[in-house]
Amino acid sequence: MAAPVKFGVGQSVLRKEDDKLIRGKGNYTDDHEPRASMHALVLRSPHAHATFTIDASRARDLPGVGVILTAADVGDLGSLPCLFNFEVDPFTGPPYPILAEGEVRHVGDAVAFVVADTINHARDAIEAIDVNWTPLPAVVGVANAVKPGAPQVWPDQAGNVLFDVPIGDKKATEAAFARAHAVAEISVINPRVITNFMETRAAVAEYDAKRDHLTLTVGSQGSHRLREILCQNVLKMPLEKMRVICPDVGGGFGTKLFPYREYALIAVAARKLRKTVKWTADRADHFVGDAQGRDNVTTARMALAGDGKFLGMDVDLMSDMGAYLSTFGPYIPHGGAGMLPGLYDIEAFHCRVRAVFTNTLPVDAYRGAGRPEAAYVVERLVDACARKLGMTPDAIRRKNFITPKAMPYRTATGKVYDSGDFTAHMKRAMEIADWKEFPKRAKVAKKQGLVRGIGLATYVEVCGTMGEETANVRLGPNGDVTVLIGTQSSGQGHQTAYAQLVAEQFGLAPERVHIFQGDTDMIASGLGTGGSASIPSGGVSVERATRALGRNLREIAAEALETSAGDLEISDGAIRVAGTDRTISFADLAKRPGVDSSRLSASATFSSADGTFPNGTHIAEVEIDPATGIVKIVNYVIVDDFGFTLNPLLLAGQIHGGVMQGIGQALMERAVYDPRDGQLVTGTFMDYALPRAADGPSFVFETHNVPCKTNPLGIKGAGEAGAIGSCPAVVNAIIEGLWREYRIDHIDMPATAERVWIAIREHQRRHSL
């Protein structure tokens, strides 16, 4: 067996991008400060629903003001598009205007855009704009929005419902329930969350009057898609008239994938003023201006045979769209519902999916985009099934897991799982967590006045379905290699991962491989980064392009060394005749007289129509203090199947970060809107809690990989997995402890100390009567 290539795939190579970042040398959008830049602010609605008139004449006359845009000034612009629709029974959603005209529909709705020579002059102008508001009734929460007589967000969307569609086979599911020995049922809330990446959104628009050309620098998850939407749908201008540059991006999690109003407004302002305009969101802007995540209310039932076999699953899912349709908003609940069967052999399945309007910020993809919501529902339901039949959580899962022999397995929703051994990773996770000895630990905790709980969750998700991704790999004159690719890193470590794929073929150290992303002038195409697709799709393209370049270089070297290309091997940035000391360096190859420059580069494109299906087991162990309701995670084990590990160090970082986001949602995160007037109550970090290092345990993470059969590298994708398995594991652990001690079988996320304390007090009150 050949020795692994230094810096190649499978090696824990340190992140090459970190040196500049930890030294404060990162280049983020807000660091881009062209000379004489104008500064922009957005005037936002203080009401969740209101009509209004606006007069900006006094503000326009203030010192330093360049331009103030209202709806009347951008009437020629298109709306922000929703890129999702059903192939059958397409729906027509309401417009998502660049600036609200006459009526606002959520707190933070944009009504004016102010550009001035300084940020303080822009603030003065914001305060001088005269807006006459007439508040209207507002509705928040899907349960309230679908009630008869509820305030209408849009007059032509009856009952505030955008669509009401079925998935699966209703008749077969009804038949399964008719013959069931028992039925387990849960109703759960997946709370709305706010992304809160480290770097808020920002954009800089530079206008070249001579060429009538815009350069937009923006912290996004993809430059090409953003340019296409802005130019084709909103600004209605040729693509070649705009260049989009994405520098370093400080976190995205889905929320930076979408086009936003400010990007179009800043482009319009720059063209009007013929000057550079800069806009940077503050944290308040983020809370009321950026798409939010999750927000589902779901009832799920499972039909059970007497031996614990799942006969059928029926789900009613209501998803909050907010006031407008964000780019992929309606896809999130509909696409996520396709993953509701999880890892289980469930022949009969039916789900009713409703997308509902409310007077809140739009909801769109957030780390996992529907798959965490699905995993949470099915894993909570499976534990409820175990309690219903008196089975253990692991036993009922073993009974119903899809077996390796059944692969490829088509689920009732049409997903085709190509590979996996679900019992094996659950078994391994239980071994690491010392599951058998848990009762002893629970007894010790009880003597200390604490309730200990243990819970597991298994999950599956779908990755790598963004579309085709092209990589171009070039040999430079100094012998270094440059990779051009349309994905976009926002902290994942693409610079390192792609360099390892090149190293695997060429033996080059990471510092000799240069990765370029996020520039529409430099890179011909790209779908950006989302859905854990960069390595499963972009990685395959890089590997194939590098391999093709290697073939070209062997042919050139064969001419130089007067030998057959088949006798040559590549290593350490040079090509040598196998078994000899005759070599030629990459640098000499690149400079060789008469070499066709096209032979010094190669490109490859890859797309996976079927996607990949990472899966795994999370086990959480918690201690609950009944006196305070405080939940502490004392142990956390993850065993995942990602098909193949490109870099164990990068992988662990992705999983740890995802799990912490899931822990945050499980225990503390929740966007709260006042049901009376639609105000965002949790609009600052004073009221919206994020997890800190002390809120997480020391994770134990392993892989139990089964290579993916539909991906050439065997990779399944990993970026969102931690956020998918964590929420149900933590909540199942809490409920396991509460059920054993108090027969409490339900608590919704976030399981805050207050909620846990109230649940225990209510149990004690009922049993003291």
Side-chain angles (χ1 to χ4, degrees):
M1 183 176 178
V5 176
K6 188 177 182 181
F7 308 122
V9 298
Q11 305 298 302
S12 292
V13 178
L14 295 176
R15 283 167 44 112
K16 60 178 293 188
E17 48 268 85
D18 280 353
D19 183 71
K20 72 170 187 176
L21 297 178
I22 62 178
R23 294 175 186 273
K25 301 296 184 181
N27 178 34
Y28 297 91
T29 302
D30 193 51
D31 294 320
H32 187 49
E33 188 77 50
R35 294 182 61 186
S37 295
M38 305 287 281
H39 296 269
L41 289 175
V42 180
L43 176 60
R44 302 186 183 277
S45 168
H47 300 282
H49 199 190
T51 57
F52 70 96
T53 59
I54 186 167
D55 182 359
S57 57
R58 184 165 64 93
R60 287 190 173 103
D61 293 333
L62 290 178
V65 173
V67 67
I68 296 178
L69 302 176
T70 65
D73 303 298
V74 294
D76 58 331
L77 301 186
S79 297
L80 291 175
C82 174
L83 299 183
F84 171 76
N85 217 323
F86 299 114
E87 294 180 4
V88 181
D89 298 327
F91 60 84
T92 300
Y96 193 167
I98 298 302
L99 286 171
E101 183 174 10
E103 187 170 351
V104 292
R105 288 180 168 83
H106 67 81
V107 171
D109 212 345
V111 299
F113 191 70
V114 174
V115 181
D117 58 355
T118 69
I119 199 71
N120 287 332
H121 281 154
R123 291 192 180 103
D124 290 342
I126 285 277
E127 294 177 2
I129 295 175
D130 183 21
V131 186
N132 184 23
W133 302 100
T134 303
L136 298 173
V139 64
V140 302
V142 291
N144 295 325
V146 298
K147 289 178 180 178
Q152 288 291 112
V153 180
W154 295 95
D156 56 349
Q157 298 291 158
N160 291 314
V161 176
L162 171 67
F163 61 73
D164 184 341
V165 297
I167 297 175
D169 189 329
K170 186 175 183 179
K171 288 186 179 180
T173 304
E174 289 173 345
F177 276 84
R179 69 176 189 273
H181 167 77
V183 173
E185 180 174 336
I186 61 168
S187 291
V188 296
I189 295 172
N190 204 304
R192 181 179 288 227
V193 292
I194 300 171
T195 306
N196 280 309
F197 23 63
M198 289 190 291
E199 179 210 17
T200 57
R201 288 191 302 112
V204 179
E206 299 169 78
Y207 181 63
D208 183 341
K210 291 181 180 179
R211 295 190 298 146
D212 184 30
H213 183 273
L214 281 163
T215 298
L216 182 67
T217 301
V218 58
S220 170
Q221 289 176 233
S223 53
H224 293 84
R225 188 194 297 270
L226 182 60
R227 181 180 65 160
E228 289 168 9
I229 293 173
L230 289 176
C231 289
Q232 296 175 353
N233 298 93
V234 183
L235 299 172
K236 301 174 183 177
M237 59 185 284
L239 288 176
E240 61 268 20
K241 291 293 184 179
M242 177 182 284
R243 176 187 186 186
V244 175
I245 299 172
C246 293
D248 290 328
V249 180
F253 311 116
T255 306
K256 283 184 182 168
L257 186 61
F258 326 123
Y260 285 94
R261 291 162 150 174
E262 295 87 358
Y263 306 156
L265 289 166
I266 204 170
V268 170
R271 293 182 76 174
K272 282 183 177 289
L273 294 169
R274 296 183 171 235
K275 294 182 179 180
T276 297
V277 180
K278 180 175 181 176
W279 170 81
T280 300
D282 60 19
R283 193 59 63 172
D285 276 318
H286 172 68
F287 271 96
V288 299
D290 291 3
Q292 297 175 345
R294 313 292 191 233
D295 209 347
N296 291 350
V297 175
T298 309
T299 297
R301 301 184 303 144
M302 191 78 81
L304 300 164
D307 63 355
K309 185 73 179 70
F310 298 159
L311 303 176
M313 184 178 179
D314 186 61
V315 182
D316 187 306
L317 187 161
M318 289 195 295
S319 181
D320 198 330
M321 293 289 96
Y324 302 105
L325 298 182
S326 186
T327 310
F328 305 109
Y331 171 75
I332 308 308
H334 188 266
M339 301 305 298
L340 277 165
L343 295 173
Y344 307 106
D345 180 21
I346 307 173
E347 293 186 9
F349 174 86
H350 172 259
C351 180
R352 179 189 185 188
V353 183
R354 282 175 282 177
V356 181
F357 287 110
T358 64
N359 291 113
T360 61
L361 264 169
V363 173
D364 209 317
Y366 170 72
R367 200 166 191 170
R371 288 99 79 196
E373 295 93 313
Y376 183 69
V377 169
V378 69
E379 290 304 294
R380 286 286 308 272
L381 180 59
V382 169
D383 266 27
C385 292
R387 288 191 294 272
K388 186 80 174 182
L389 297 178
M391 298 177 69
T392 62
D394 56 306
I396 200 165
R397 285 173 170 82
R398 286 191 187 92
K399 182 76 178 179
N400 290 283
F401 276 151
I402 301 161
T403 65
K405 291 182 180 180
M407 304 292 181
Y409 177 91
R410 181 178 293 275
T411 72
T413 60
K415 305 297 183 185
V416 180
Y417 301 164
D418 65 280
S419 59
D421 189 339
F422 313 142
T423 297
H425 59 61
M426 184 179 72
K427 179 182 178 183
R428 178 56 183 154
M430 293 175 69
E431 289 172 355
I432 299 170
D434 200 11
W435 185 278
K436 291 182 179 179
E437 296 300 311
F438 171 76
K440 295 179 180 179
R441 299 194 295 275
K443 288 181 180 179
V444 173
K446 189 168 186 177
K447 290 179 180 179
Q448 298 170 344
L450 303 172
V451 175
R452 203 159 177 118
I454 193 168
L456 66 81
T458 54
Y459 77 91
V460 62
E461 65 151 330
V462 58
C463 296
T465 57
M466 289 278 285
E468 67 178 29
E469 194 63 65
T470 299
N472 186 283
V473 181
R474 302 174 182 172
L475 180 65
N478 63 351
D480 288 1
V481 169
T482 295
V483 176
L484 304 176
I485 191 164
T487 55
Q488 178 64 51
S489 178
S490 56
Q492 298 92 333
H494 291 180
Q495 298 277 342
T496 305
Y498 291 145
Q500 287 181 257
L501 289 165
V502 174
E504 186 70 13
Q505 301 295 321
F506 294 164
L508 286 175
E511 59 268 21
R512 294 190 60 192
V513 182
H514 311 286
I515 315 297
F516 289 94
Q517 305 176 88
D519 188 332
T520 57
D521 272 13
M522 181 182 293
I523 299 155
S525 65
L527 291 173
T529 290
S532 298
S534 289
I535 302 305
S537 295
V540 173
S541 300
V542 170
E543 192 271 345
R544 288 181 169 179
T546 305
R547 193 177 294 277
L549 177 59
R551 289 194 292 268
N552 291 351
L553 298 182
R554 281 190 180 91
E555 291 173 0
I556 299 170
E559 298 169 4
L561 297 172
E562 299 179 342
T563 187
S564 168
D567 294 332
L568 299 177
E569 59 186 18
I570 302 177
S571 64
D572 300 324
I575 300 182
R576 63 176 45 85
V577 179
T580 75
D581 59 358
R582 296 176 61 205
T583 67
I584 184 169
S585 70
F586 277 10
D588 287 339
L589 278 175
K591 298 170 186 175
R592 184 169 170 75
V595 171
D596 183 352
S597 61
S598 66
R599 299 173 69 190
L600 299 178
S601 67
S603 65
T605 300
F606 178 74
S607 175
S608 174
D610 298 325
T612 66
F613 294 91
N615 55 89
T617 298
H618 288 223
I619 294 179
E621 191 167 332
V622 301
E623 281 187 345
I624 304 166
D625 184 348
T628 63
I630 292 173
V631 176
K632 181 181 179 182
I633 300 173
V634 295
N635 191 26
Y636 202 104
V637 173
I638 312 140
V639 179
D640 283 320
D641 173 7
F642 293 130
F644 175 77
T645 299
L646 176 57
N647 181 319
L649 199 61
L650 290 181
L651 180 62
Q654 285 286 294
I655 301 309
H656 291 176
V659 172
M660 281 302 295
Q661 282 185 296
I663 287 172
Q665 185 179 352
L667 297 182
M668 62 193 70
E669 291 190 55
R670 180 186 174 215
V672 178
Y673 286 88
D674 192 316
R676 297 166 299 179
D677 58 11
Q679 289 295 320
L680 179 61
V681 177
T682 53
T684 72
F685 286 140
M686 293 292 290
D687 302 291
Y688 188 91
L690 286 177
R692 302 182 182 187
D695 296 308
S698 179
F699 301 109
V700 179
F701 169 56
E702 284 188 6
T703 55
H704 187 282
N705 290 332
V706 179
C708 178
K709 295 180 180 179
T710 61
N711 183 276
L713 297 179
I715 292 173
K716 295 181 178 178
E720 295 152 303
I724 296 172
S726 48
C727 287
V730 172
V731 178
N732 280 346
I734 294 169
I735 292 175
E736 191 277 333
L738 294 178
W739 172 255
R740 178 169 25 83
E741 192 67 24
Y742 307 109
R743 285 300 184 259
I744 296 170
D745 64 357
H746 177 75
I747 195 162
D748 270 319
M749 295 190 292
T752 61
E754 179 186 31
R755 283 184 168 181
V756 173
W757 185 87
I758 288 173
I760 294 172
R761 295 290 88 73
E762 179 62 19
H763 163 82
Q764 293 172 336
R765 184 192 66 80
R766 289 197 308 269
H767 288 80
S768 65
L769 295 177

